[in-house]
């Protein structure tokens, strides 16, 4: 008799942990009491069978790791699944995402592995199956949505939520339970390779979009995993995994709010620790971060999972533990519950340490209780659960369905930022000769992030193509402009110093009426790309010789429209100076070609807004917009001017908008009160379009230095030509809270400058509100968002955001 046969009942009676009629907590406690110490420890581990494929690559495959030092851990050897699951297993790692398998093949493998886990262990407890989903479900043939930095450019939480729900439905259909997304790191240095995985440089924008993504994924029954907790994006010199020289106040005000909001407003059920150390303390061994803040202050009840191999890294990289076993003890004590992607630090040695009295069994129970709670919530312990039933949706699932592609197209179109239309955009219709050049012109992989399957895994499997339909910009322009004669030359590669293609590209430009040059990034991993995990930049010059290509094209005299397809903002001062039009596309996904072509032709009204600044010069980093006075242009203090070429929140359109008539409901409010801020926005052009109205606050005098402006609310408003709307923000005094000198978060009395406009640098509406009373300490129950409503003037169609 197998464990599967034993699950339904013993003598016809359900075991308490199998009874759906009982409260979740009661079921978990009943199971926990039944488990041996070895079985409880088994639930804290995982197994990545896909990592074993490292030894089975084709001779012409690129040996590209998909996780840090994957090849090292693969070579060191791992235990067979039946041995790993002898006492039970917490997670199965990337069953669908490690090799190019169809949805049906992946589902069959889930069934095989789950059956092995259930049959091997005494009580037949299934494992949680987790996958990556940073730009969609990271598996072969699944929709590649725009990268997260492009979500930031949409300023559209509702659209991000719809995307995440679609991703979650696809994952759940094929037996997946947990998604390792969203990334809630706030950009602090544009040179960091993982900027493409973030949603921008502003905590409020990232918070609202991140919470929306979580709600979407969780609505499909998938556990959303917030990462990377916390500080990863602020490493010294922007080096991946680098030490973070950040004080606790900056961490609390700039980095932690995104995670707090995604838990409070999104309902996230899992958190993944950061690889980095902050002020010398690695996140994976920090009880202040993982227990005091996350659990005790925020009330988080879900699981903390380790980033891949971050537990052994405590010993091998951070050198805060003597060996992997000690690293496991530190991580468990700090608050990590489950080790991914394989069990190393949370192995059988934990049993020995409990029995020797070195650590209390309560630490094991604490972690196992959290993991088992999620297994109960997922239905894995219900009496009717079977491996086959868990993948019942796989037979009819289309991982790149028309519905998915429609969402991907909408995201792509809304994310593209028109930086400067010049005198060339939109392109005039009719016959003309257009030269389309540049390394991003005919390679759709440049539209995709480093966690998109074509860039993430397929380099190890040459000859398979992309697995999806993804037209390049060249092909999209030929479809968009059927009357134009379009010629193509690559000019140069994304990386490298080879200029041998310049001559042909310049000749093509000279013989054309217009040149479209597409430059930017090709995402990869650990040095196999110009953007992505482990692909950090020395400075913000376009990679390779691309900037020189643009300059020489501009010198031909032919009007040049530059399209930058990138995962980070590059310094475009020189590019802008020679361009007849300038467009920024942040890795817009599989539908990116048509979206960019539509913006260039004018079919698509551009409405993207910058979630990061566009710098003017190559150096002088880091420098996001969130700066105190001395972080801005300080004439007479420093000769260096950090003013960007284009500011945070900026974006142009083929129409014009006017924002004015500021009304603030109250001149004075108590420190526990609130006030309304209303403005009118009008489309003053001759085309319908969307404007993003942005609210910024500034504490004029505070006990610590504060940013001269910080985003506090926003709303996308669509208006027909000549139409106007009234936008009203409801601002609670909590939204002015900051971490004071004693490291307590406070709302302080005093004057608050209120600014409303269309970017951090274009704020025509300004006023002041005075907060009155004594300073008030606030906690996790404070107001974390700014509700906003839009009422069309002349009508009653109020739209709530």
């Amino acid at each position: 008799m197998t464990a599967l046969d034993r699950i339904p009942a013993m003598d016809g009676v359900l075991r308490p942990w199998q009874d759906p009629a009982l409260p979740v907590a009661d079921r978990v406690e009943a199971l926990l009491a039944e488990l041996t110490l070895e079985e409880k420890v088994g639930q804290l581990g995982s197994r990545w069978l896909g990592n074993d494929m490292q030894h089975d690559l084709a001779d012409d495959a690129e040996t590209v790791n998909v996780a840090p030092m994957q090849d090292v851990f693969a070579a060191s050897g791992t235990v067979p699944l039946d041995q790993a699951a002898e006492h039970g297993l917490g997670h199965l790692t990337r069953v669908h995402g490690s090799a190019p398998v169809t949805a049906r093949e992946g589902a069959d493998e889930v069934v095989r592995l789950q059956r092995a886990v259930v049959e091997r262990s005494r009580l037949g407890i299934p494992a949680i199956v987790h996958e990556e989903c940073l730009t969609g479900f990271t598996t072969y043939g699944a929709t590649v949505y725009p990268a997260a930095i492009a979500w930031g450019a949409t300023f559209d939480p509702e659209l991000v939520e719809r995307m995440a729900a679609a991703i979650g439905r696809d994952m759940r259909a094929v037996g997946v339970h947990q998604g390792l997304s969203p990334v809630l790191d706030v950009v602090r240095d544009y040179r960091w390779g993982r900027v493409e995985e973030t949603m921008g440089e502003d905590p409020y924008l990232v918070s609202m979009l991140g919470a929306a993504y979580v709600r979407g994924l969780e609505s499909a029954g998938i556990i959303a995993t917030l990462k990377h907790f916390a500080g990863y994006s602020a490493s010294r010199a922007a080096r991946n995994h680098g030490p973070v020289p950040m004080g606790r106040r900056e961490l609390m005000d700039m980095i932690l709010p995104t995670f707090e909001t995604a838990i409070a407003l999104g309902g996230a059920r899992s958190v993944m620790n950061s690889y980095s150390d902050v002020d010398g303390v690695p996140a994976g061994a920090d009880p202040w971060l993982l227990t005091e803040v996350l659990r005790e202050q925020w009330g988080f009840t879900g699981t903390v999972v380790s980033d891949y191999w971050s537990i052994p890294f405590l010993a091998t990289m951070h050198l805060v533990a003597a060996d992997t076993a000690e690293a496991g003890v530190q991580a468990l004590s700090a608050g990590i519950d489950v080790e991914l992607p394989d069990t190393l630090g949370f192995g059988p040695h934990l049993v020995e340490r409990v029995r020797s009295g070195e650590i209390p069994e309560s630490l094991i129970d604490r972690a196992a209780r959290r993991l088992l709670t999620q297994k109960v919530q997922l239905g894995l312990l219900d009496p009717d659960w079977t491996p086959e039933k868990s993948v019942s949706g796989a037979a009819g699932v289309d991982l790149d369905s028309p519905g998915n592609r429609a969402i991907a197209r909408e995201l792509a179109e809304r994310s593209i930022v028109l930086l400067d239309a010049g005198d060339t955009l939109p392109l005039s219709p009719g016959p003309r000769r257009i030269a389309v050049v540049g390394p991003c012109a005919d390679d759709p992989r440049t539209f995709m992030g480093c966690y998109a399957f074509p860039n993430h895994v397929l380099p190890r499997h040459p000859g398979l193509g992309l697995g999806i339909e993804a037209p390049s910009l060249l092909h999209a322009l030929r479809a968009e402009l059927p009357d134009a004669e379009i010629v193509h030359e690559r000019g140069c590669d994304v990386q490298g110093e080879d200029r041998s293609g310049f001559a042909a590209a310049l000749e093509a430009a000279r013989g054309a009426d217009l040149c479209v040059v597409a430059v930017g990034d090709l995402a990869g991993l650990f040095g196999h790309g110009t953007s992505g995990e482990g692909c950090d930049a020395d400075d913000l010059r376009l990679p390779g010789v691309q900037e020189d290509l643009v300059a020489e094209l501009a010198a031909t005299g032919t009007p040049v429209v530059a399209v930058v397809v990138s995962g980070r903002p590059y310094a475009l001062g020189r590019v802008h100076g020679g361009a007849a039009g300038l467009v920024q596309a942040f890795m817009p996904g599989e539908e990116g070609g048509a979206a960019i072509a539509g913006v260039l032709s004018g079919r698509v009204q551009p409405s993207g807004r910058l979630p990061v600044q566009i710098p003017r010069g190559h150096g002088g980093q880091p420098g996001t917009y969130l700066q105190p006075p001395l972080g801005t242009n300080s004439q007479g203090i420093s000769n260096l001017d950090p003013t960007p070429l284009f500011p945070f929140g900026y974006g142009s359109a083929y129409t014009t908008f006017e924002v004015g008539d500021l009304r603030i409901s109250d001149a004075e409010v108590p420190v526990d009160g609130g006030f309304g801020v209303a403005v009118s926005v009008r489309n003053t052009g001759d085309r319908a379009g969307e404007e993003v109205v942005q609210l910024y606050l500034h504490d004029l005098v505070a006990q610590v230095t504060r940013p001269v402006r910080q985003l506090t609310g926003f709303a996308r408003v669509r208006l027909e030509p000549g139409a106007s709307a009234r936008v009203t923000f409801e601002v609670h005094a909590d939204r002015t809270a900051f971490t004071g000198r004693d490291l307590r978060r406070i709302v302080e009395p005093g004057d608050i400058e209120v600014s409303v406009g269309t970017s951090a640098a274009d704020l025509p509406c300004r006023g002041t509100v005075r907060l009155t009373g004594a300073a008030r300490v606030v906690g996790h129950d404070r107001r974390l968002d700014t509700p906003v409503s839009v009422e069309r003037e002349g009508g009653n169609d109020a739209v709530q955001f």
Side-chain angles (χ1 to χ4, degrees):
M1 179 178 291
T2 68
L4 280 175
D5 298 321
R6 294 198 306 267
I7 285 177
M10 181 176 290
D11 298 329
V13 178
L14 286 179
R15 302 173 185 186
W17 58 85
Q18 296 174 291
D19 189 349
L22 294 177
V24 170
D26 290 354
R27 296 174 68 183
V28 171
E29 292 305 319
L31 179 54
L32 199 61
E34 179 71 18
L35 294 174
T36 66
L37 177 58
E38 288 82 359
E39 289 169 335
K40 287 186 283 191
V41 169
Q43 290 298 313
L44 312 187
S46 60
R47 184 69 182 89
W48 186 10
L49 273 75
N51 192 33
D52 301 345
M53 299 175 187
Q54 185 82 10
H55 305 294
D56 301 325
L57 300 180
D59 292 338
D60 58 343
E62 292 186 58
T63 55
V64 179
N65 287 342
V66 300
M69 300 186 69
Q70 178 187 2
D71 51 345
V72 174
F73 287 99
S76 65
T78 51
V79 299
L81 180 61
D82 61 349
Q83 182 179 339
E86 181 179 4
H87 298 294
L89 191 66
H91 276 238
L92 285 166
T93 297
R94 299 190 64 173
V95 179
H96 291 270
S98 299
V101 295
T102 66
R104 182 70 265 172
E105 290 168 340
D108 289 344
E109 183 69 356
V110 167
V111 170
R112 185 184 74 82
L113 297 181
Q114 286 282 35
R115 183 170 289 276
V117 169
V118 168
E119 291 183 344
R120 179 62 175 162
S121 58
R122 179 174 66 95
L123 296 179
I125 302 171
I128 289 175
V129 178
H130 75 258
E131 297 284 351
E132 296 282 5
C133 52
L134 285 167
T135 62
F137 184 9
T138 304
T139 190
Y140 187 63
T143 304
V144 176
Y145 296 92
I149 192 67
W151 315 344
T154 69
F155 277 70
D156 193 336
E158 185 274 336
L159 180 55
V160 170
E161 184 170 345
R162 282 198 282 125
M163 174 197 67
I167 294 170
R169 288 192 294 270
D170 286 347
M171 295 171 74
R172 197 63 200 258
V174 294
V176 180
H177 308 107
Q178 184 161 342
L180 305 186
S181 195
V183 170
L184 296 183
D185 297 303
V186 176
V187 176
R188 303 299 284 168
D189 189 327
Y190 306 137
R191 298 171 300 175
W192 188 48
R194 303 189 81 165
V195 166
E196 65 168 65
E197 298 178 39
T198 77
M199 289 170 267
E201 66 184 61
D202 181 83
Y204 187 67
L205 177 63
V206 176
S207 292
M208 293 300 98
L209 296 173
Y213 183 99
V214 169
R215 287 193 297 271
L217 204 64
E218 291 276 358
S219 73
I222 297 292
I223 296 171
T225 307
L226 312 181
K227 58 187 191 180
H228 307 88
F229 194 65
Y232 191 12
S233 58
S235 58
R236 183 179 281 118
R239 295 180 66 251
N240 194 39
H241 294 203
V244 177
M246 177 183 286
R248 188 158 286 186
R249 182 176 292 104
E250 183 180 355
L251 184 74
M252 294 171 70
D253 283 349
M254 295 295 168
I255 303 299
L256 296 187
T258 59
F259 296 91
E260 184 179 10
T261 303
I263 291 168
L265 303 185
R269 287 184 286 167
S270 187
V271 169
M272 175 180 280
N273 72 287
S274 164
Y275 285 118
S276 297
D277 70 84
V278 178
D279 195 23
V281 181
D286 189 353
W288 172 80
L289 183 67
L290 300 181
T291 296
E292 184 177 333
V293 171
L294 182 62
R295 304 286 186 182
E296 296 171 8
Q297 294 180 19
W298 298 353
F300 179 68
T301 59
T303 57
V304 175
V305 300
S306 76
D307 206 342
Y308 284 16
W309 295 301
S310 64
I311 292 179
F313 283 171
L314 294 174
T316 61
M317 296 296 183
H318 292 292
L319 304 183
V320 297
D323 52 31
T324 298
E326 184 182 330
V329 171
Q330 288 191 26
L332 181 70
S333 301
I336 290 181
D337 303 310
V338 181
E339 182 177 16
L340 305 180
D342 271 309
T343 307
L344 295 174
F346 280 6
H349 68 90
L350 289 178
V351 175
E352 301 166 7
R353 290 179 183 239
V354 169
R355 290 192 171 137
S356 69
E358 184 176 343
I359 59 173
E361 188 169 355
S362 59
L363 283 180
I364 308 294
D365 290 348
R366 181 180 74 176
R369 180 179 291 110
R370 295 165 180 164
L371 186 279
L372 292 172
T373 296
Q374 293 188 338
K375 290 191 174 184
V376 171
Q377 292 170 339
L378 291 165
L380 297 180
L381 299 182
D382 289 355
D384 61 346
W385 182 92
T386 65
E388 291 76 13
K389 184 177 179 181
S390 72
V391 299
S392 58
V397 69
D398 179 357
L399 296 181
D400 193 25
S401 67
N404 286 3
R405 295 193 71 102
I407 295 172
R409 185 180 313 116
E410 188 175 357
L411 269 162
E413 291 178 351
R414 288 190 168 213
S415 71
I416 294 169
V417 184
L418 176 62
L419 295 178
D420 190 347
D423 56 5
T424 305
L425 297 176
L427 301 178
S428 58
R432 53 174 24 188
R433 183 178 174 89
I434 300 175
V436 178
V437 303
C440 299
D442 196 27
D443 187 353
R445 294 178 304 156
T446 62
F447 297 157
M448 304 175 189
C450 72
Y451 271 80
F453 200 82
N455 287 338
H456 196 69
V457 174
L458 286 182
R460 306 165 114 210
H461 302 274
L464 286 180
L466 299 178
I468 52 172
E469 182 182 349
S472 70
L473 177 57
L474 175 64
H475 286 85
L477 280 171
R478 284 176 170 154
E480 188 77 25
L481 305 170
D483 295 330
E485 178 188 354
I486 295 179
V487 296
H488 168 65
E489 292 291 342
R490 184 173 177 82
C492 65
D493 293 332
V494 170
Q495 300 184 79
E497 300 297 318
D498 185 4
R499 289 172 163 79
S500 63
F502 275 28
L506 296 174
E507 184 63 26
R510 290 189 189 99
D513 302 308
L514 173 75
C515 176
V516 174
V517 57
V519 293
D521 283 319
L522 176 59
L525 294 158
F526 309 109
H528 292 267
T530 59
S531 175
E533 185 173 359
C535 297
D536 311 312
D538 290 334
D539 61 28
L540 294 176
R541 184 189 308 269
L542 282 167
V545 295
Q546 295 182 80
E547 186 177 283
D548 294 340
L549 174 64
V550 178
E552 294 194 28
L553 288 168
T556 64
T558 300
V560 174
V561 173
V563 178
V564 182
V565 182
S566 64
R568 66 164 61 84
Y570 284 104
L572 300 181
R574 187 182 178 200
V575 172
H576 182 233
L582 184 58
V583 171
Q584 173 69 57
F586 289 111
M587 291 185 174
E590 65 182 30
E591 290 285 343
I596 297 171
V599 167
L600 295 180
S601 73
R603 174 179 57 82
V604 174
Q605 173 69 278
S607 63
R609 299 296 182 264
L610 290 175
V612 287
Q613 299 181 127
I614 301 293
R616 186 179 303 274
H618 303 145
Q621 297 302 314
T624 70
Y625 94 98
L626 289 168
Q627 299 291 332
L630 287 176
T632 61
N633 186 21
S634 305
Q635 295 182 358
I637 302 296
S638 171
N639 64 310
L640 298 178
D641 181 0
T643 303
L645 182 64
F646 296 101
F648 173 85
Y650 173 82
S652 187
Y654 298 139
T655 187
T656 54
F657 295 91
E658 183 179 275
V659 178
D661 191 20
L662 172 70
R663 304 288 177 87
I664 301 176
S665 64
D666 301 274
E668 293 187 359
V669 297
V671 292
D672 60 352
F675 56 94
V677 178
V679 296
S680 289
V681 56
R682 186 164 66 95
N683 185 341
T684 55
D686 58 5
R687 284 190 57 177
E690 291 184 80
E691 182 58 277
V692 178
V693 180
Q694 301 162 40
L695 167 69
Y696 294 83
L697 298 183
H698 170 45
D699 195 334
L700 292 174
V701 179
Q703 61 179 257
V704 299
T705 61
R706 301 288 296 139
V708 295
R709 65 190 61 85
Q710 185 164 1
L711 185 70
T712 308
F714 60 89
R716 284 187 73 108
V717 183
R718 177 174 175 80
L719 293 171
E720 295 297 319
S724 60
R726 195 72 177 159
V727 180
T728 303
F729 299 93
E730 297 297 332
V731 185
H732 195 280
D734 287 354
R735 301 292 293 115
T736 70
F738 63 90
T739 302
R741 294 187 181 185
D742 61 0
L743 296 181
R744 293 190 299 171
R745 191 179 299 278
I746 59 171
V747 176
E748 192 176 48
D751 290 342
I752 303 296
E753 183 182 57
V754 177
S755 304
V756 184
T758 57
S759 78
D762 184 9
L763 300 168
C765 301
R766 294 176 185 258
T768 304
V769 172
R770 174 162 292 178
L771 301 183
T772 62
R776 181 169 65 94
V777 176
V778 296
H780 181 60
D781 59 348
R782 72 190 185 282
R783 184 82 200 203
L784 295 170
D785 63 343
T786 303
V788 56
S789 60
V790 178
E791 184 174 358
R792 316 287 175 187
E793 294 188 345
N796 298 315
D797 53 334
V799 180
Q800 297 292 329
F801 291 82

